[in-house]
Amino acid sequence: MERVQKYTKPARVFHWMHVGAFLLLLITGIILFVPAFGAAAQDSWTRVIHRIGAVIFVLAPLIQIIANRTTAWASVKRAFAWNGDDLKWATAMPRYYFLGDESAMPPQGEMNTGQKLWYTLLLIFGPIFLVTGILMWFFKYSLPSAVFQWSVFVHDVAFILIFLMFLVHIYLGVIHPMMRKHGGSFSSMVDGTVTAEYAKSHHGKWYKEVAKK
Amino acid sequence: MAEKAILYDSSKCTACRGCQVACKQWWGLPGETTTQRGTYENPPDLSADTWVKIKFKEISNGNGGVEWIFTRRSCMHCTDAACIRVCPTGALYHDPSGVVAYNKDLCSGCGYCVEFCPFDVPRAKGNNLTGIRKIDKCGLCGDRIGNGLTPACVKTCPSGALVFGDQSGLVDVGNKRVQELKSTYPDAYLYGEKELGGLHVMYVLTQTPDVHGLPAHPDVPAAAIATDDILPPLAYALTGLAVVGLGINYLVARANANKEAEAKAKK
Ligand code: HEM
């Protein structure tokens, strides 16, 4: 089957570092949040891992952005380049995800509407985690208790929302029957390529650009 | 087991600080090196190694003299305990006598109890960068009272300012003492009978709570209720909904994909 390159190797490496850090944060966070798992946090080890995870979670994308200033900026611009097709995508999406009906799906660029949404959410939630996390970590003894108390609350709200959206993200990207049918997007995270068939159906506009080159 | 309590009578306290010493002795806690700050009050604050201390305060007695106000500082063993609510590991829990007991092995060092305690009692010791810490606070000598003894501080108190017994009985003792004191101290008050569902350490105060440095209306912080009573059920419900929703989507989408495949195969 014909394959097209979607992500470079450094992009994939940084993505997996970010994923790994996120999973560490998620698991060690759940341990503190769900009382039934709480005992796993004894002697502070999961909290140490949470801190290491946080450092990687913040540094990986920063290093990537600094190392690839131009392409990183281009990808941020792409993520925020909303247009009429995004609205069409949103209205056609239920028929696609339930009935497998692709007829009304508008052609998409390198990032489709769903991916743009996920990107935007990370750009919103990342800083919320970071700010509340830093308040709890470094300002525990210098700011009033109320700051700490509400930081825990906000951190938890962000955690619940990002966890739910993460479920949807994984489901739509990897598990959904249509993803399996086309070979899906997961391979782009592994070897950087997607099948031409997937590229055509999910990123039509982008596929045309690549095919021209 | 009936609920137990300590009753501290500030009008009988001489601030000998025997309770501080007895506590350290029974629990093997090290002394702290402090500097002279111009007061007999020492050490300056509670710490992971100082679970009880007497606070000194001087107020005007109304005719040009001063009066010393003593207030005990230690865990108040609340019935509605914020620390137990926010503790992620279950290291803090109520034992059958109503005491806020502490299983140090389970402690994760998160320090939520430190930040949420309405009385500013638990203290953490450890490394704040890595977060490897342990909390400490008074456990009302759970080992001693479990064996029919009184807490070390009560045992040593020479002036009768500290007594130990059934909570309900001590409420009566405290209220009676407050009545006796009213003529000399019109603000006398039994602190802890109603506060936070009843404290297992009650104070006979000669002054209003703020003069003693106690919150007049101690409360479980709203953030604790929001974080520990509201968010978890919401999170579980939303996760359940998401899993069911995605599951339904999976079944419908797969059925349709199969139908299409069959239709293609027939052609
Ligand atoms: C961006 C960097 C982040 C930093 C600096 C950070 C830091 C912290 C800190 C300091 C705590 C308090 C407990 C402790 O002292 O160990 C905490 C708790 C927690 N974190 Fe994070 N965190 C970050 C990202 C995340 C992410 C991405 C998630 C989940 C997806 C997460 C989920 C949680 C949860 C669930 C808790 C427990 C809150 C509770 O006990 O209710 N954190 N975090």
Side-chain angles (χ1 to χ4, degrees), chain B residues 161-184:
Chain B
L162 287 171
V163 287
F164 175 78
D166 287 350
Q167 190 187 34
S168 49
L170 289 183
V171 168
D172 298 339
V173 174
N175 275 322
K176 226 158 113 213
R177 177 68 183 156
V178 165
Q179 288 318 314
E180 287 167 19
L181 289 170
K182 279 279 184 193
S183 54
T184 340

Side-chain angles (χ1 to χ4, degrees), chain A:
Chain A
M1 222 190 292
E2 196 197 338
R3 303 193 75 89
V4 281
Q5 173 89 21
K6 193 148 186 275
Y7 295 115
T8 62
K9 184 147 191 200
R12 276 177 279 139
V13 170
F14 280 112
H15 177 260
W16 281 115
M17 281 171 67
H18 204 229
V19 172
F22 177 81
L23 290 177
L24 286 181
L25 288 165
L26 187 68
I27 293 164
T28 53
I30 286 173
I31 286 172
L32 282 186
F33 184 77
V34 182
F37 302 141
Q42 66 178 285
D43 294 338
S44 311
W45 292 109
T46 64
R47 292 181 42 253
V48 173
I49 295 171
H50 199 81
R51 281 152 202 236
I52 296 170
V55 172
I56 303 172
F57 185 74
V58 173
L59 285 188
L62 280 186
I63 292 173
Q64 192 193 2
I65 287 168
I66 292 165
N68 312 288
R69 266 164 307 239
T70 40
T71 46
W73 180 237
S75 102
V76 172
K77 271 204 293 204
R78 267 202 307 274
F80 286 99
W82 301 92
N83 58 45
D85 280 345
D86 292 313
L87 205 63
K88 277 189 218 153
W89 185 93
T91 44
M93 174 198 62
R95 280 189 69 76
Y96 169 71
Y97 280 119
F98 274 100
L99 306 176
D101 175 7
E102 289 176 63
S103 57
M105 291 295 261
Q108 297 272 314
E110 185 189 346
M111 274 195 207
N112 71 25
T113 309
Q115 289 163 331
K116 279 192 232 173
L117 266 175
W118 177 238
Y119 200 102
T120 309
L121 287 172
L122 285 185
L123 282 180
I124 295 170
F125 281 92
I128 294 179
F129 278 118
L130 183 62
V131 170
T132 52
I134 285 177
L135 286 174
M136 291 187 285
W137 186 348
F138 297 106
F139 294 93
K140 193 169 161 54
Y141 295 103
S142 45
L143 290 175
S145 292
V147 175
F148 184 97
Q149 294 169 3
W150 288 106
S151 294
V152 178
F153 176 77
V154 173
H155 206 80
D156 276 348
V157 170
F159 151 72
I160 294 165
L161 294 176
I162 211 81
F163 173 68
L164 293 172
M165 291 178 301
F166 177 68
L167 288 183
V168 176
H169 173 67
I170 295 294
Y171 173 75
L172 293 184
V174 185
I175 301 170
H176 192 277
M178 292 302 282
M179 279 303 126
R180 308 241 202 135
K181 180 177 146 197
H182 287 304
S185 53
F186 192 64
S187 59
S188 69
M189 304 285 95
V190 181
D191 63 6
T193 68
V194 291
T195 62
E197 194 194 345
Y198 168 85
K200 260 184 244 169
S201 62
H202 281 71
H203 303 277
K205 278 190 216 161
W206 172 71
Y207 183 69
K208 261 190 215 146
E209 280 166 40
V210 187
K212 258 189 252 157
K213 279 183 203 157

Side-chain angles (χ1 to χ4, degrees), chain B residues 45-258:
Chain B
D45 195 10
L46 293 174
S47 77
D49 295 325
T50 300
W51 300 346
V52 59
K53 65 159 284 198
I54 300 296
K55 207 166 63 178
F56 291 47
K57 185 172 179 180
E58 284 159 34
I59 61 167
S60 155
N61 69 358
N63 3 316
V66 290
E67 184 168 347
W68 242 337
I69 303 294
F70 303 128
T71 314
R72 186 181 183 269
R73 287 272 286 131
S74 188
C75 178
M76 305 296 271
H77 297 280
C78 315
T79 297
D80 192 0
C83 58
I84 294 180
R85 253 177 223 261
V86 298
C87 179
T89 63
L92 292 164
Y93 60 98
H94 277 127
D95 81 2
S97 60
V99 165
V100 178
Y102 173 49
N103 176 349
K104 193 167 180 174
D105 287 342
L106 268 181
C107 176
S108 77
C110 68
Y112 293 174
C113 55
V114 177
E115 302 295 332
F116 283 87
C117 173
F119 299 106
D120 181 30
V121 167
R123 290 290 184 270
K125 187 153 92 177
N127 184 322
N128 289 332
L129 182 64
T130 60
I132 301 175
R133 295 185 285 244
K134 286 280 180 186
I135 304 307
D136 259 310
K137 73 162 195 78
C138 155
L140 218 99
C141 284
D143 59 341
R144 292 178 57 97
I145 65 177
N147 286 293
L149 301 173
T150 59
C153 56
V154 175
K155 177 83 185 162
T156 208
C157 182
S159 67
L162 287 171
V163 287
F164 175 78
D166 287 350
Q167 190 187 34
S168 49
L170 289 183
V171 168
D172 298 339
V173 174
N175 275 322
K176 226 158 113 213
R177 177 68 183 156
V178 165
Q179 288 318 314
E180 287 167 19
L181 289 170
K182 279 279 184 193
S183 54
T184 340
Y185 297 106
D187 287 333
Y189 175 63
L190 179 64
Y191 189 86
E193 180 185 355
K194 302 183 197 76
E195 283 75 10
L196 291 166
L199 305 176
H200 295 85
V201 175
M202 291 177 288
Y203 289 179
V204 171
L205 303 179
T206 56
Q207 315 290 325
T208 59
D210 3 308
V211 174
H212 282 273
L214 293 163
H217 304 286
D219 252 325
V220 172
I225 293 166
T227 307
D228 290 275
D229 292 353
I230 298 174
L231 288 187
L234 200 67
Y236 305 147
L238 289 174
T239 305
L241 272 178
V243 169
V244 169
L246 295 179
I248 291 174
N249 174 273
Y250 184 83
L251 295 176
V252 172
R254 197 185 53 180
N256 279 310
N258 289 346

